[in-house]
Amino acid sequence: MLMTGSPSLYEKRKGVYPKAVDGFYRRLKWAVMVVTLAIYWGTPWLRWDRGPYAPDQAVLVDLANRRFYMFSIEIWPHEFYYVAGLLIMAGVGLFLVTSAVGRAWCGYACPQTVWTDLYQHVERFIDGDRNAQVRLANAPWSLPKIVRRLAKWAVWLVIAFLTGGAWIFYFADASTLQQQFWTGTAAPVAYGAVAVLTATTFILGGFMREQVCIYMCPWPRIQTAMLDEKSLVVTYKHWRGEKRGSLKKAQAAPDIYGDCIDCNQCVAVCPTGVDIREGPQIGCITCALCVDACDAVMAQIGKPRGLIDYCTEDDALAEQKGGAPRAVLNTLLRLRTLAYFALWIGVGAAMLFALGVRTRLDISVQQDRNPIFVRLSDGTIRNAYTIKLRNMEARPRRMQVSVTGLANAKMWTDAGSREQASSALTTMVAADSVEKLRVFLLLPSAGPVREDFAFTVRATDREGGGDSEPARFERP
Amino acid sequence: MADDKRIDAATGTEIKHHEWDGIQELDTPLPRWWLWTFYATILFAIGYMVAYPAWPMIDRATGGLLGWSSRGALDKELAAREQQMAPIRQAIADTSVTVLPHRPQLMQAAIEGGRAAFRVHCVQCHGSGAAGSKGYPNLNDDDWLWGGDLAAIEKTIADGVRNPDHQATRQSLMPAFGKDQLLTAAQVDDVVAHVRAISGQDRANAASRRGAKLFADNCAVCHGPKGAGDRTVGAPNLADAIWLYGGDTDSIHDTVWNSRHGVMPRWDDKLDKVTVRMLAAYVHSLGGGETRPETLTKPGG
């Protein structure tokens, strides 16, 4: 124990050299890794035919034109509340998952976890398993060590580059951008994004690893606050394991020693270097590789599995008092989890409903306020409005703007003149675009002082549809 | 102080001296990368302070070795913007104002440019919405003293109205009928009654009938026999609903008695040709702009 002198400001990182392990949770982790990486790398290449006027990339965040495409859904900037809805779902989803299965996100689906896992696999492939890695790390620099290090870093860099490279395909047509990228004609921001993401992937996945979870990430702190005694966490059943002793000692004195034979396999396989037998801790991402390792050992020494296992704190206490283990499914069904689930489903259903009934034709009217009205030489009063016609469909549409609730009103645009004034205007609105019209509205007869009325717009193509927006006509 | 050090036996880490509800804090060392990142930010800050303006002095901040200034950055951006706009400005300069409406995109660019220039040079008199005020014409309406087509508007802006020392300026002169004793007080009252009648504000009566004769003799030469005005001399239409100086009896009386001589500066010596053209396009777009150039004959009687 350090009892004298001032403690250093620095804490040197203790190397973590996770041992390879096999088992149910390891295979689950592989499956999640394959699925998430496939989604990440594959999604930009999915095609979705939207006709000649819209891009045919299934998922596309078109920042330049401010459109977001996701399969058959197209989001316009003013429909950004769908994104707010998704964020709410993500937030409630975090509550839901944490309440039900603890830090499963951290253990399986978090990008930091997935890429670190991938990098560690590469490391194992080049440097060998845990013991070889430790030996290599402690060995002085020599040609073989340099070659191995360079090879490992090169593979890491390739993965990092592919990771950063795939990101930009979500923001532009993937095949076009790929060609532009290699021929040096892509936008500078594309190269910048790839460079930054390559560097962060290389550093965070290759070198920082568990330090990201422990020092940089706010998620574990939030999640730790959301866990309760009914949440599933990876638990060491100390009443069954203690007192620890070697297999030989345990066999010699089975009354004194518990099931834990202190083989240290749970620590050796842990990607964050945690000793789960010390209880729940922030470094534990509940990936359950220690469960796999311990179960294998228990099988070898002929003891039941589950010395380390997913277990709620309540169940652990019950088991300690001699209760039977509860099925995992039962831990999922509890009021808190169901309430989160209902909320999550509710928000999702509301969004789906809103998506179903939303209109693809929109009018917005802004009245000129300066001047609020204009008296013309014949004594009539003219008001002016800026009307925006949104055609949110991927085909050009002919739209008619008319006025209801204001008798004898005549209108014309700033492209025409008063002689051409009529009761309705017709204009073509290009596919997926907004047409801005400045409209002058004239009320020849003396009407009431103020009158509320509505502009209506109707798409006059085959499929019809219409929208209206209330406006006012101001008089002296 | 060194004696006060308390070390946590389990971790070997120093315990800090504060305590809340029995909870104590370990003085856990930071990771090396964290500290180095922190030191790097300090170095960056020092470098930044040397390279960029940073320290406030008495009248200005230190200059910084790179010579960067927000004003310089703005100048650079403005220059870049100017360069970007250059082809459009050139196209507007090369396009006659009468042809401009036939090139809708160019016209739109001219209107936007004119809107910006209007806010700098014109709002002082004509108001931010170009609605004018007493003595300053409303540019949104369809009443034009000198014509409301693009060419006429462009000339009015370029040469001004009654602008001294400028040959090409718009020039008109209304006599001060009362002040200069061209008409008697009673005659002025009769003319005012006539003008009220032809503009539909009062019914014809004995005074206005007397005024009609006086109007034909004194006013019709500029304002036309029916008071419809004449754009060649900038004589306002007296028969319509729009009054630059007010259409009530007192205002009209004041105008006839003292005369009015509104002045607008010429802008061709302060603004370049393109800006004047863009201003014309903007004013034309406000709603009163006329599509065809008016014939330069007196409106038919």
Side-chain angles (χ1 to χ4, degrees), chain A residues 363-369 371-372 374 381-389 399-403 406 409-418 420-427 435-442 453 455-457 471-473, chain B residues 140 285-287:
Chain A
I363 187 173
S364 72
V365 179
Q366 193 189 5
Q367 184 169 13
D368 274 17
R369 291 273 150 198
I372 199 160
V374 174
I381 301 299
R382 192 191 73 206
N383 280 199
Y385 306 83
T386 302
I387 297 181
K388 280 183 183 166
L389 303 174
M399 291 195 189
Q400 193 187 50
V401 180
S402 57
V403 167
L406 203 62
K410 289 267 162 61
M411 56 189 179
W412 68 96
T413 67
D414 61 352
S417 65
R418 188 176 167 184
Q420 297 157 315
S422 65
S423 58
L425 296 167
T426 305
T427 185
E435 176 87 9
K436 202 165 104 177
L437 292 180
R438 207 171 123 75
V439 170
F440 299 110
L441 191 72
L442 192 71
F453 64 98
F455 278 107
T456 59
V457 60
R472 292 174 82 84
F473 192 86
Chain B
N140 291 280
S285 79
L286 288 170

Side-chain angles (χ1 to χ4, degrees), chain A residues 238-250:
Chain A
H238 58 89
W239 66 91
R240 186 183 138 190
E242 305 295 321
K243 176 182 179 194
R244 299 174 207 166
S246 67
L247 184 57
K248 206 179 273 178
K249 281 186 190 165

Side-chain angles (χ1 to χ4, degrees), chain A residues 1-3 5-11 208 211 215-216 370-371 374-377 379 382 414 417-419 438 440, chain B residues 5 7 9 12 14 29-33 35 39 128-129 131 140-142 240-242 285-288 291-292:
Chain A
M1 289 286 114
L2 184 74
M3 295 300 286
S6 175
S8 170
L9 277 176
Y10 302 121
E11 182 166 70
M208 307 276 295
Q211 304 219 69
Y215 296 104
M216 293 167 76
N370 182 17
V374 174
R375 184 193 293 277
L376 298 184
S377 52
R382 192 191 73 206
D414 61 352
S417 65
R418 188 176 167 184
E419 294 84 66
R438 207 171 123 75
F440 299 110
Chain B
K5 264 201 181 92
I7 303 294
E14 189 185 341
L30 291 157
R32 192 180 288 271
W33 62 263
L35 273 168
Y39 296 148
S128 59
N140 291 280
D141 64 27
D142 60 344
D240 66 12
I242 293 170
S285 79
L286 288 170
T291 40
R292 295 176 305 276

